[in-house]
Amino acid sequence: LMIDCMFSVTAPFSRELYESGEITSNLSYDSDHTKAFSFISLFATCDDPEGVFEKIKAHIEEVKEYGVDDNVFEIKKRAAYGAIVSEFDSAEDIANNFMDDVFEGTTTFEYAETIKTISIDEVNELVKKMFCEDHYALAIARPANQED
């Protein structure tokens, strides 16, 4: 939910990067969170990866200071809850969720309740805990025939 609020295609920051031409594809992301570790990866196609990386870091600092956008939070919270509920329409999703639940010691029902009851203040506190610039890394993939 936190990552969706900060970096989804409907979040103001991502739209601004795309509409300004600083990224030529939508900003996409992936994350994994377990009891042992957590990571967030952001992906974009751009001509100036270092410049975009600096803007991402500045955006994170801004969110740490001012919090996530209230409207985006409400939209993403409803979407996250809906996505969890819709997973009960698929036997495959149910099986995968229950397998994950066994390994994590949780239940999908607990996750749904957490999403339903989470507050924007809790998300804003998580932003402050999750992002530490000392742990950031930038990886750049360029075509084989392109020079730095």
Side-chain angles (χ1 to χ4, degrees), residues 6 24 46 54 57 60 75 77 84 105 117 121 132 139 145:
M6 294 175 69
T24 57
C46 60
E54 291 304 316
K57 291 190 298 185
I60 291 167
I75 291 166
K77 180 178 174 178
I84 293 168
T117 61
D121 291 335
C132 174
N145 61 351

Side-chain angles (χ1 to χ4, degrees), residues 81-94:
Y81 186 76
I84 293 168
V85 171
S86 70
E87 288 180 355
F88 288 100
D89 291 340
S90 162
E92 181 181 350
D93 286 344
I94 291 170

Side-chain angles (χ1 to χ4, degrees), residues 93-136:
D93 286 344
I94 291 170
N96 283 330
N97 286 338
F98 284 130
M99 184 179 68
D100 289 343
D101 293 346
V102 167
F103 291 119
E104 290 301 316
T106 62
T107 71
T108 301
F109 302 110
E110 290 172 333
Y111 185 64
E113 189 61 26
T114 298
I115 291 295
K116 186 177 173 183
T117 61
I118 196 165
S119 72
I120 194 167
D121 291 335
E122 290 170 307
V123 169
N124 288 330
E125 282 304 311
L126 185 59
V127 171
K128 293 173 186 173
K129 291 178 184 176
M130 284 290 296
F131 291 100
C132 174
E133 192 167 348
D134 292 343
H135 299 156
Y136 297 171

